[in-house]
Amino acid sequence: MKLKTKFLCLIAVLLAVSLGANLVWTSANKHAQMENELREQARALAQQMDAVWEFMVANQDRLAQVAFTEDGVYQGLHCAIAGRIIGQSFTMHSDYTTRFVNFNPRNKAGEPDGYEAAALSAFHDDASRADYYGFTDYEGRQVFRYVAPMTIEEACLQCHGEPAGELDVTGAPKEGWKMGDVGGAISIIMPLDVYQANERESIAQDVLFFAIMLAVCLVVVYVALTYLVTRPLGKIRSGVDEVSEGNLDVRLSYSESSQEMSSLTTAFNDMAHELADVYAGLEDEVADRTAQLQRANEVLEQQRRQLEAVNAQLVDENQYKSDFLSMVSHELRTPLTSIVAFADLLSKHRAGADENEAKALAGIEANSQALMLMINDILEMSRLDAGRVKLSLEVVDVGDVVGIVRATVGPLAAKEHLEFTSEVAPDVPLVRGDFDKLVHVLQNLCGNAVKFTPDGGTVHLKAAFHPASSKSVADEVWLTVADSGIGIDTADQERIFEKFVQVDSSSTRRYNGTGLGLAIVREYAEMHGGSVSVESELGQGASFVVRIPVSGPVSREAAEKDEKSDSGPSSEDLPKGEQS
């Protein structure tokens, strides 16, 4: 929305609010003015009626001379009767209604209605009150009602004074009033039709005049806004457009509309001049920066080629290392196998050998087996590095895996005077994985637990099922190996899964090994789509947890879409021993 339109909308809203406020104020003012005018008219009329009444009272003696016949018979001519007849005559010749009312009138025509009764009560409660008036509805239309009190004077006591109940000249019982009592009230009812029409006409004229003045003001503001604001801003915008198109020689003429616009024009011209100066030297600077970038690109290209050469060299060296480890391990494995076989054969044929020979043979056999495990780890890691290790996926019973590991590690633990226990939860399902590699994972973890746990300690192997949750998007089987051994410091818990890393890597270390066991465990766990972690404190034992997805090494998205956890595997997927 343009600035001019916003200003016009704002001014229109302000004018509408002003017009509404003026209408409300004018209506209230006219209503109050009409009420004051009607009150004054009613007060004047009441005073006239009161003057007539006073005249009748003042001439009561003269009226009495004609009120009786020569025989003394009362003919009905009395001040109250004359006053009521005058009021009725006035009512007949105008739209006003004039009545004389009282709480206990001698004539039913003087009975007060609800409004008049309220006025009489107000006069009785407050003798100093001069009138009672207001707008109300009367016989289906809105009227202005005015009620003025009539106080008892001395001439009134002849017919209305004491003693109460005594008959007066008219034959009616006296009321027993005293001087100053409220004897009744003059009630004037004035219709509002003419006054309301005049009020509406007056309000319409005032509002029309105010609306015309507001419209004139709006036109004046619009013209002034166009000349003082929008037209100068339009010139500045045109200059900005030319600058954005590349014309830096544009200059604006100074505006005489206001000092602010002149200052803004001066600032624009200064900015355009500075941009022209900056642009004049920009091409040279761009050329210099372009040359610098070209030189930098040449340096980067040279460094890239050097990095590629170094990377190629590292790849070759890594391949050489893998080939060397594989070759050496393979060449060492052949004679080592012969040594193990000859040691086993010698121990069987020399059953009666002395104790020293038996210990020597046992040492040869034990060290040969340890060396064989190291060589196997090195060979396995070299195959993993070369990408030649693949999973042989099948449906695996975790209980069988735990049973084989228990049969292998149990005797080693007993030899080291350790308590080895295992547990498989009853809800552990069949998993899709590589049977041999899962056995290898648990053998490495349990072997480490036996190696790093002192005599009298414990090693516990547990398999449990963990269904999918917010922390795991797939059903998993957790394989936990916990021991009461020497523990692992927090600073070493991440790096122990790296290749050839041991917590104590000094030449005088107490525990032997290649540092590849945990690295192989992590590789196998990740190949299955799982993970491995450790929780430990130094001197408080360690707990390794391997998480294996039940559905096998599939992506997380596929695991979420594959909702087949309730259906078991088909007979084709079951191990041969479990097919019926």
Side-chain angles (χ1 to χ4, degrees):
M1 186 181 293
K2 294 183 178 180
L3 179 62
K4 183 191 298 185
T5 306
K6 291 183 178 179
F7 270 109
L8 291 178
C9 292
L10 177 61
I11 293 173
V13 171
L14 293 177
L15 292 181
V17 173
S18 301
L19 185 61
N22 177 70
L23 178 61
V24 173
W25 181 83
T26 301
S27 299
N29 188 35
K30 293 295 182 181
H31 189 77
Q33 183 178 353
M34 180 180 67
E35 183 180 10
N36 291 333
E37 183 178 349
L38 290 171
R39 185 181 69 248
E40 292 301 324
Q41 289 183 7
R43 183 175 293 169
L45 181 59
Q47 290 175 353
Q48 291 178 2
M49 297 296 296
D50 194 51
V52 172
W53 196 275
E54 289 180 357
F55 173 80
M56 297 293 295
V57 171
N59 293 278
Q60 183 64 40
D61 294 336
R62 295 180 181 181
L63 292 174
Q65 294 177 4
V66 297
F68 294 90
T69 64
E70 294 180 355
D71 299 332
V73 179
Y74 181 69
Q75 300 183 115
L77 184 60
H78 192 265
C79 60
I81 299 174
R84 184 166 60 253
I85 293 174
I86 292 172
Q88 292 175 353
S89 177
F90 181 81
T91 300
M92 292 175 58
H93 293 85
S94 68
D95 292 334
Y96 295 176
T97 301
T98 304
R99 302 178 63 218
F100 295 93
V101 295
N102 191 347
F103 275 132
N104 297 303
R106 296 183 179 183
N107 192 305
K108 291 184 178 181
E111 287 284 349
D113 58 14
Y115 190 87
E116 293 165 340
L120 289 172
S121 299
F123 296 146
H124 282 292
D125 294 339
D126 185 5
S128 62
R129 184 159 186 168
D131 50 21
Y132 187 94
Y133 57 88
F135 294 96
T136 183
D137 290 331
Y138 180 76
E139 295 182 354
R141 61 177 182 171
Q142 192 174 20
V143 298
F144 178 81
R145 304 196 64 171
Y146 183 88
V147 183
M150 297 177 62
T151 56
I152 299 299
E153 298 179 357
E154 184 177 358
C156 301
L157 298 178
Q158 181 179 355
C159 297
H160 302 284
E162 295 178 339
E166 182 182 12
L167 299 179
D168 62 5
V169 295
T170 64
K174 295 182 178 180
E175 286 82 0
W177 290 336
K178 299 178 182 179
M179 287 283 294
D181 289 346
V182 177
I186 300 174
S187 175
I188 301 174
I189 303 174
M190 306 174 68
L192 298 179
D193 300 339
V194 176
Y195 292 96
Q196 288 178 339
N198 293 335
E199 179 186 6
R200 287 192 291 268
E201 182 178 359
S202 177
I203 291 174
Q205 292 176 355
D206 292 345
V207 170
L208 179 62
F209 175 77
F210 189 75
I212 293 174
M213 293 302 298
L214 290 180
V216 172
C217 293
L218 182 61
V219 172
V220 172
V221 170
Y222 175 80
V223 174
L225 186 63
T226 301
Y227 177 75
L228 298 176
V229 179
T230 57
R231 188 170 66 177
L233 287 178
K235 293 181 179 180
I236 295 175
R237 179 181 177 182
S238 299
V240 172
D241 292 339
E242 291 189 28
V243 171
S244 64
E245 293 174 359
N247 182 14
L248 300 180
D249 296 329
V250 63
R251 296 293 184 272
L252 299 180
S253 60
Y254 289 95
S255 175
E256 298 179 357
S257 60
S258 64
Q259 183 179 358
E260 290 79 3
M261 289 299 171
S262 298
S263 300
L264 186 58
T265 301
T266 302
F268 177 84
N269 291 335
D270 293 341
M271 179 195 68
H273 180 72
E274 292 178 1
L275 286 175
D277 293 340
V278 171
Y279 186 76
L282 186 60
E283 292 183 355
D284 295 336
E285 186 175 354
V286 169
D288 293 340
R289 293 298 179 90
T290 302
Q292 294 176 6
L293 287 175
Q294 289 177 350
R295 291 193 294 270
N297 287 334
E298 292 175 358
V299 173
L300 289 175
E301 180 62 23
Q302 183 180 1
Q303 292 177 351
R304 186 186 65 80
R305 289 194 295 267
Q306 292 176 354
L307 288 175
E308 286 181 352
V310 172
N311 187 50
Q313 183 179 357
L314 290 176
V315 171
D316 292 341
E317 291 180 354
N318 185 59
Q319 185 63 37
Y320 175 76
K321 179 203 69 174
S322 299
D323 294 342
F324 175 76
L325 288 176
S326 178
M327 179 186 66
V328 171
S329 300
H330 186 271
E331 295 301 325
L332 289 177
R333 190 175 185 179
T334 302
L336 185 59
T337 303
S338 300
I339 293 174
V340 172
F342 284 128
D344 182 64
L345 183 62
L346 187 60
S347 62
K348 289 180 179 180
H349 287 281
R350 297 182 60 85
D354 56 19
E355 184 177 356
N356 291 332
E357 289 182 354
K359 288 182 178 180
L361 290 174
I364 292 173
E365 186 175 357
N367 288 307
S368 298
Q369 291 291 345
L371 186 57
M372 181 66 72
L373 291 176
M374 294 180 188
I375 292 173
N376 289 337
D377 286 343
I378 293 174
L379 284 173
E380 189 68 16
M381 185 54 65
S382 65
R383 285 197 296 269
L384 287 170
D385 288 342
R388 294 196 299 267
V389 176
K390 305 295 181 183
L391 292 180
S392 178
L393 295 177
E394 59 180 330
V395 177
V396 177
D397 188 342
V398 178
D400 293 343
V401 175
V402 173
I404 290 177
V405 174
R406 181 174 59 246
T408 304
V409 179
L412 298 177
K415 184 177 179 180
E416 299 295 333
H417 307 289
L418 302 176
E419 180 184 358
F420 179 81
T421 58
S422 62
E423 175 187 359
V424 178
D427 61 342
V428 173
L430 301 176
V431 300
R432 187 171 179 80
D434 189 313
F435 185 89
D436 294 333
K437 290 179 175 54
L438 292 178
V439 171
H440 196 169
V441 166
L442 293 183
Q443 284 180 342
N444 281 5
L445 292 177
C446 292
N448 283 350
V450 171
K451 181 168 62 175
F452 293 104
T453 302
D455 292 352
T458 60
V459 177
H460 182 65
L461 170 59
K462 178 181 178 181
F465 174 63
H466 285 262
S469 64
S470 59
K471 296 182 179 180
S472 175
V473 298
D475 295 341
E476 294 178 338
V477 172
W478 288 15
L479 305 174
T480 304
V481 178
D483 62 64
S484 60
I486 60 176
I488 305 170
D489 188 36
T490 304
D492 298 323
Q493 291 180 10
E494 285 296 329
R495 68 186 191 94
I496 59 174
F497 292 100
E498 298 177 3
K499 301 172 186 177
F500 303 105
V501 172
Q502 289 185 316
V503 174
D504 182 9
S505 59
S506 63
S507 59
T508 59
R509 63 179 182 268
R510 177 180 175 184
Y511 302 100
N512 296 323
T514 60
L516 293 175
L518 293 179
I520 293 175
V521 168
R522 184 173 67 178
E523 290 288 341
Y524 283 171
E526 292 177 353
M527 288 176 67
H528 281 83
S531 62
V532 61
S533 62
V534 62
E535 293 181 2
S536 177
E537 292 183 10
L538 198 62
Q540 301 296 323
S543 177
F544 288 84
V545 180
V546 178
R547 301 169 183 84
I548 302 297
V550 174
S551 57
V554 295
S555 62
R556 295 291 182 181
E557 293 78 9
E560 292 177 351
K561 294 179 181 179
D562 189 12
E563 300 291 340
K564 297 182 179 180
S565 57
D566 293 335
S567 61
S570 63
S571 59
E572 296 177 355
D573 293 332
L574 291 173
K576 295 180 180 180
E578 297 186 7
Q579 295 181 5
S580 57

